[in-house]
Amino acid sequence: MAKSTTQRGTEPELFAPAETAATPAPEQPAPAKKKAKTAKAAKLAATAARVPSEAGHSGATATNNQPTAEAGSPTEAPADRLDQIFEGLKQKSVAKQAIYRNTQAAFDCLRLVSQELVVELSRKLTPLDSSVVIEYRSINDMEFHIKFSGDLLVFVMHSNVVTFPDDYGPMPSAYVNADFRRRFFGHIMAYNFMADSIKYQRMNDPGYLVGRLLVNIENHYYLEGVQQLELPDNDMSDNIIRPDAMRLFVESAMIAAVNNDLIAPLLPEIQKISVKQKVENQQVSRGSKVGFSFSHQQVHEG
């Protein structure tokens, strides 16, 4: 009984602080690598506490590359970026929208004068020969056609605002260089096709650019095209979009098309025909207009 009583009395003392201190733990030297890793981890933790880690940050940053918010957290853009976006929108986007509206107005003016011109010519030609048809046809908001005799004029407005190299067309002029916004243009093209090319869907028949009208933010224009056009002096400071100027453009394009006759191909060029040409209803003897001469070097002033 005495032995049993002694064991029960000493059992709790195994977990007492005094007993734990009195019983030394077995000595096992720690590996050298573990001590090195512990020291390295402590050093990295101390460095991270002093300097924020840029590489580990994936949230928003300011222009000085310092984090402003954690990843996924909304934050306001720095003021300097907002200013850059604002200046870009003010200088280019707003200007381009105004240029687009001016180009659309010029295109509508071309539509109107074309319709009036077709009516006037029809009144003169119908008593002379009713088989000569002159007609205006609207295709969509950015395209219309004028058909006369065997020719077809296609007027197309491009949806984008463009600019040009510094040495092209009106770019070197003092007028353009006086205002950065004058370096951008809306553009309207006039193409000449053979009317039967569209009628019979001869996809390989060529069309020819007769003229191109450039419109700027101040509703001034620059006209370039074939030498048969009655081109103005191309001082954009004086050339303003007006109905009389747009009518002159249309009339000149029609005159250039009428005076440029169809040239038939030589006999050796049409000796063979492919099955593809026959199936696609392509006429091997189709002609082409070779009289157009485009003037790339036009005089510009101002």
Side-chain angles (χ1 to χ4, degrees):
M1 290 296 290
K3 183 178 180 180
S4 175
T5 305
T6 305
Q7 289 177 347
R8 285 195 299 269
T10 58
E11 184 175 357
E13 296 178 1
L14 293 175
F15 301 96
E19 184 66 19
T20 302
T23 306
E27 295 183 1
Q28 293 183 359
K33 291 185 178 179
K34 186 174 182 181
K35 289 182 179 180
K37 288 184 179 180
T38 304
K40 185 176 181 181
K43 183 178 180 180
L44 290 175
T47 304
R50 292 193 303 268
V51 181
S53 175
E54 297 179 0
H57 181 78
S58 60
T61 58
T63 52
N64 60 0
N65 208 29
Q66 294 299 317
T68 59
E70 295 297 329
S73 301
T75 182
E76 294 184 2
D80 57 346
R81 289 185 183 176
L82 290 177
D83 291 341
Q84 291 176 17
I85 296 171
F86 174 75
E87 288 300 323
L89 291 173
K90 181 178 70 174
Q91 293 182 9
K92 288 189 177 181
S93 298
V94 174
K96 288 181 178 180
Q97 288 297 322
I99 294 168
Y100 179 84
R101 290 191 293 269
N102 288 348
T103 308
Q104 184 70 66
F107 194 67
D108 291 340
C109 185
L110 281 172
R111 285 181 183 273
L112 182 60
V113 298
S114 296
Q115 294 176 55
E116 294 174 350
L117 187 58
V118 165
V119 170
E120 293 177 17
L121 289 173
S122 297
R123 288 174 180 172
K124 291 185 177 182
L125 282 172
T126 299
L128 182 63
D129 189 345
S130 59
S131 64
V132 179
V133 178
I134 302 178
E135 63 179 4
Y136 164 90
R137 177 177 297 178
S138 177
I139 304 303
N140 52 48
D141 291 341
M142 294 187 176
E143 181 178 346
F144 68 87
H145 297 173
I146 301 177
K147 179 182 177 183
F148 49 101
S149 185
D151 285 288
L152 183 73
L153 277 181
V154 176
F155 289 85
V156 181
M157 172 185 163
H158 202 284
S159 61
N160 295 111
V161 174
V162 299
T163 187
F164 298 96
D166 292 340
D167 59 347
Y168 181 84
M171 302 302 283
S173 67
Y175 169 75
V176 171
N177 290 320
D179 190 334
F180 176 79
R181 301 173 302 167
R182 296 174 184 171
R183 300 178 61 86
F184 300 95
F185 306 91
H187 51 140
I188 300 169
M189 285 75 66
Y191 290 96
N192 179 213
F193 288 90
M194 290 177 288
D196 283 353
S197 297
I198 307 299
K199 179 179 180 180
Y200 297 111
Q201 297 185 352
R202 299 199 299 258
M203 300 303 178
N204 288 337
D205 283 8
Y208 303 88
L209 178 66
V210 179
R212 176 168 63 175
L213 186 73
L214 305 178
V215 184
N216 76 356
I217 192 171
E218 297 174 344
N219 217 29
H220 289 218
Y221 72 90
Y222 182 90
L223 181 60
E224 55 185 351
V226 298
Q227 293 178 352
Q228 290 89 337
L229 288 178
E230 296 181 17
L231 297 174
D233 60 4
N234 276 333
D235 181 359
M236 288 195 70
S237 61
D238 295 331
N239 294 342
I240 302 176
I241 298 291
R242 293 189 301 264
D244 58 336
M246 297 301 95
R247 177 168 176 133
L248 178 60
F249 176 32
V250 177
E251 290 175 347
S252 299
M254 293 181 70
I255 292 172
V258 168
N259 290 339
N260 193 15
D261 295 322
L262 194 64
I263 306 299
L266 301 179
L267 187 61
E269 299 176 7
I270 58 173
Q271 286 180 339
K272 294 186 296 184
I273 178 174
S274 67
V275 175
K276 180 176 181 294
Q277 289 174 315
K278 176 63 178 71
V279 171
E280 294 181 355
N281 194 29
Q282 298 181 30
Q283 297 181 11
V284 180
S285 61
R286 68 181 183 273
S288 61
K289 293 192 173 187
V290 295
F292 283 132
S293 177
F294 193 87
S295 176
H296 293 279
Q297 302 297 331
Q298 298 183 33
V299 177
H300 53 79
E301 299 178 3

